[in-house]
């Protein structure tokens, strides 16, 4: 079999054409099968923040002893930051817990006040009913003959 008669690959023969062009000294043709640094379906690799990139460049430019010392300093700084953030998270957690306790106390106060308010509403309803009944009796008495109220 010659290269020209080789079976066509799944990519439509582009790989075999590139291989043939490479052997003949010609540059491969760019096309839909040219390789990108990353596939469109997958996102590019995450970029390091500029600060970390600068730290890495500095570390790569230093001699090994300085490099190790700078690395130890960087680790110490990161540990300090982690401890500070941990302490801040603990403080926030305590404040959230205290706030939760305040909400529970307010709920208990509201619950404790609901019974007297219900009683007050019942008393107002009874007073209204008694007033309506008294007005009816007064009107009945006024409508009777010989009543001195009218």
């Amino acid at each position: 079999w010659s290269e020209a008669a080789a079976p066509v690959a799944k990519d439509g023969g582009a790989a075999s054409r590139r291989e043939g062009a490479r052997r003949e000294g010609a540059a491969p043709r760019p096309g839909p099968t040219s390789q990108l640094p990353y596939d469109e379906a997958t996102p590019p690799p995450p970029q390091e923040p500029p600060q970390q990139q600068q730290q890495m460049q500095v570390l790569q430019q230093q001699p090994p002893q300085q490099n190790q010392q700078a690395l130890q300093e960087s680790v110490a700084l990161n540990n300090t930051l982690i401890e500070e953030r941990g302490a801040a998270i603990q403080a926030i957690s305590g404040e959230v817990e205290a706030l939760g306790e305040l909400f529970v106390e307010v709920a208990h106060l509201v619950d404790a006040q609901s019974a007297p308010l219900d009683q007050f509403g019942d008393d107002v309803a009874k007073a209204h009913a008694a007033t309506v009944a008294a007005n009816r009796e007064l009107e009945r008495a006024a409508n009777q003959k010989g009543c001195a109220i009218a």
Side-chain angles (χ1 to χ4, degrees), residues 63-117:
Q65 287 178 338
Q66 286 181 343
N67 190 0
Q68 181 146 359
Q69 182 181 4
L71 185 59
Q72 289 173 347
E73 290 172 0
S74 177
V75 167
L77 176 65
N78 285 339
N79 287 340
T80 302
L81 289 173
I82 289 170
E83 289 173 6
E84 288 175 358
R85 289 179 181 167
I89 289 170
Q90 290 295 327
I92 291 171
S93 176
E95 291 172 1
V96 168
E97 191 173 318
L99 184 61
E101 291 173 6
L102 285 175
F103 275 111
V104 169
E105 289 178 22
V106 168
H108 287 300
L109 290 173
V110 168
D111 188 46
Q113 291 177 357
S114 66
L117 286 176

Side-chain angles (χ1 to χ4, degrees), residues 19-92:
E19 182 63 26
R22 186 185 60 76
R23 287 185 187 154
E24 294 174 11
R29 292 187 322 209
T33 58
S34 62
Q35 296 295 320
L36 296 174
Y38 56 89
D39 188 5
E40 291 178 13
T42 58
Q47 294 291 324
E48 293 179 357
Q51 185 180 14
Q52 286 183 346
Q53 289 176 352
Q54 290 173 352
Q55 287 177 350
M56 292 302 293
Q57 289 173 355
V58 168
L59 291 175
Q60 290 171 352
Q61 294 171 356
Q62 296 176 350
Q65 287 178 338
Q66 286 181 343
N67 190 0
Q68 181 146 359
Q69 182 181 4
L71 185 59
Q72 289 173 347
E73 290 172 0
S74 177
V75 167
L77 176 65
N78 285 339
N79 287 340
T80 302
L81 289 173
I82 289 170
E83 289 173 6
E84 288 175 358
R85 289 179 181 167
I89 289 170
Q90 290 295 327
I92 291 171

